[in-house]
Amino acid sequence: MITKQQAEAFGAIGTPFYFYDMDLLRRTLAEFQAQARHYGYRGHYALKANAEPRILEAICEAGLGADCVSGGEVALALKSGFAPEDIVMAGVGKTDREILTALEARIGCLNCESVPELKVVNDLAAGLGLKARIALRVNPGVDAHTHSYISTGLTENKFGIGPNAFQEVVDLLPHCPALELIGLHVHVGSQITEMPVFARTCRKLGEIQLWFHGQGIEFQHLDLGGGLGVNYQDPEAEPVPDFKAWFETISRNLPVRPGQVVHVEPGRSLTAQCGHLVSRVTYVKAGRDRQFAILDAGMNDLIRPALYQASHSIENLSSEEPAASYDIVGPVCESSDCWAHQHKIAACHRGDLLAIHSAGAYGQTMAMHYNQREPAPAVYSEDLKI
Ligand SMILES: *Cc1c(COP(=O)(O)O)cnc(C)c1O
């Protein structure tokens, strides 16, 4: 929630900008860590959700590790203070350069996503005279019931090693002396709001583990990936996601073997609700059958609506007038640059400040400069002069 004083302080700031409520981020991290400690789980934060320096600093300080999907993210995690052994790296297309970066930094674990990748990692590690700690990222064939662009656990998705290749992995491992297999990893999608999806994933991972056990292969850790969704419709009702329900579902459904550690990789659930994209109304324009509220924030700043048909809760911070209906749109030259159709919101006027809520994950990290637009900067709650 944005307070009245915060909204007043926004008046002096050029728009659009990302506003981060650092108190909410810290509360969210504290709740995550309290629940993680209760269940004995270890969290690695997925940097791709939000990689702003102050956000990473808070997450590192809270004691989480880092989950990376590129060499650039590994470099940033190291620079941000995460210990190398607390960094894991996934990605279907890791280049030799990226693998070398990860190996040379001695990161905790490389989550490998194919048989050819296992061979390359083995060769590169052997060349460096090291053992590569790896996990197998498996594709369990579980439908995440989320938008198709953020589903990753179906056979048609490019991610992970499918059951068709498990035997090949088992046959290959004895020929890869530079690999140390330590984990079994899965991540079936993002913005998952149905607990049964996690339950099915856990049971499926249990079956996969059992199959490998039958082949004489044991894992030190099981990594459940991320995916916990947030409430985009009504963020105020649920500012901190239900980590307890998530972990309870995992603990009830995941067959953990003695001595095994469980890892999770939250991204969105840690940062989405603490971020707001703040924008000004540039024009209110009367169309033939509708009114347009044209904002100075566009799809280049936050691409989720244009890319995933996502919707965000929007609030007029400047007006307490009765609600009117608008197509709320951005300035970018694309018809998909639309925040909401026929949306009821307190009557808008030129210059009003609007907040697009739940913008702290997959917002700033996905920004682009299409139309040669300047990037929206980050503004932190603790820096506001109030
Ligand atoms: C993106 C990603 C995550 C984080 O997903 P969220 O839905 O943001 O929690 C975790 N693990 C891997 C491997 C990812 O690619």
Side-chain angles (χ1 to χ4, degrees):
M1 203 184 85
I2 292 170
T3 65
K4 268 217 142 56
Q5 287 115 310
Q6 287 171 338
E8 269 164 33
F10 291 169
I13 305 172
T15 48
F17 61 88
Y18 275 93
F19 174 67
Y20 293 111
D21 178 346
M22 297 304 277
D23 288 337
L24 178 56
L25 176 63
R26 294 211 166 84
R27 267 198 289 138
T28 306
L29 291 168
E31 170 63 9
F32 175 86
Q33 286 293 58
Q35 294 299 337
R37 266 192 293 276
H38 178 76
Y39 287 87
Y41 295 173
R42 173 94 185 111
H44 291 91
Y45 166 67
L47 257 74
K48 72 178 189 290
N50 188 314
E52 288 305 300
R54 301 261 289 269
I55 304 269
L56 293 184
E57 195 180 294
I59 290 170
C60 189
E61 223 165 70
L64 281 90
D67 170 43
C68 302
V69 291
S70 73
E73 285 191 352
V74 171
L76 180 60
L78 289 166
K79 198 177 123 206
S80 307
F82 290 94
E85 62 271 22
D86 292 334
I87 298 175
V88 300
M89 182 192 189
V92 283
K94 300 180 194 78
T95 63
D96 292 17
R97 187 62 254 157
E98 289 177 309
I99 293 166
L100 286 168
T101 300
L103 292 174
E104 281 164 354
R106 310 276 203 281
I107 71 162
C109 191
L110 273 161
N111 295 336
C112 296
E113 306 215 14
S114 67
V115 169
E117 182 190 334
L118 289 171
K119 293 179 186 164
V120 170
V121 172
N122 177 67
D123 292 350
L124 293 174
L128 292 174
L130 321 158
K131 272 213 160 207
R133 280 183 301 274
I134 62 151
L136 302 175
R137 176 176 179 172
V138 294
N139 183 329
V142 169
D143 188 346
H145 293 180
T146 186
H147 191 276
S148 64
Y149 287 6
I150 49 176
S151 286
T152 58
L154 294 167
T155 45
E156 69 252 39
N157 297 133
K158 66 183 175 184
F159 299 96
I161 301 170
N164 60 299
F166 289 172
Q167 187 62 51
E168 205 182 335
V169 171
V170 171
D171 296 341
L172 177 71
L173 286 173
H175 305 286
C176 294
L179 297 183
E180 184 189 358
L181 178 58
I182 60 170
L184 188 62
H185 175 237
V186 70
H187 172 76
V188 298
S190 198
Q191 184 52 20
I192 296 167
T193 52
E194 300 167 22
M195 286 299 150
V197 170
F198 291 113
R200 275 198 299 282
T201 305
C202 287
R203 290 196 295 267
K204 200 77 206 209
L205 198 65
E207 288 167 22
I208 294 170
Q209 150 153 271
L210 200 59
W211 186 87
F212 278 100
H213 177 69
Q215 307 287 317
I217 293 175
E218 304 295 338
F219 302 99
Q220 293 170 21
H221 74 257
L222 298 178
D223 185 342
L224 255 294
L228 180 65
V230 301
N231 189 339
Y232 282 102
Q233 282 72 45
D234 191 2
E236 268 182 43
E238 219 180 325
V240 179
D242 195 348
F243 298 115
K244 186 177 191 332
W246 188 29
F247 293 164
E248 206 163 83
T249 303
I250 295 172
S251 81
R252 282 216 184 112
N253 292 281
L254 187 66
V256 178
R257 301 182 72 81
Q260 235 172 16
V261 184
V262 174
H263 293 184
V264 289
E265 302 169 339
R268 186 191 311 270
S269 54
L270 293 180
T271 60
Q273 301 294 35
C274 77
H276 310 263
L277 178 58
V278 180
S279 178
R280 278 191 175 81
V281 176
T282 308
Y283 298 107
V284 176
K285 162 166 133 171
R288 197 165 74 103
D289 58 351
R290 67 194 65 208
Q291 296 236 87
F292 293 98
I294 305 170
L295 308 190
D296 62 6
M299 63 187 281
N300 69 295
D301 301 304
L302 175 64
I303 202 175
R304 298 189 65 260
L307 187 60
Y308 309 127
Q309 292 140 350
S311 70
H312 287 253
S313 154
I314 304 174
E315 182 185 358
N316 188 339
L317 302 173
S318 307
S319 165
E320 283 173 5
E321 292 176 34
S325 180
Y326 301 91
D327 275 17
I328 303 176
V329 300
V332 172
C333 298
E334 296 287 335
S335 291
S336 59
D337 185 27
C338 180
W339 296 109
H341 289 284
Q342 303 294 295
H343 189 74
K344 288 214 161 41
I345 185 169
C348 290
H349 306 280
R350 174 174 164 82
D352 281 0
L353 281 168
L354 266 60
I356 298 164
H357 297 305
S358 316
Y362 306 105
Q364 228 182 332
T365 45
M366 293 178 97
M368 56 177 169
H369 69 213
Y370 185 42
N371 287 195
Q372 299 307 310
R373 284 169 48 80
E374 293 286 324
V379 172
Y380 298 93
S381 52
E382 48 213 14
D383 293 345
L384 286 183
K385 293 183 184 59
I386 48 179

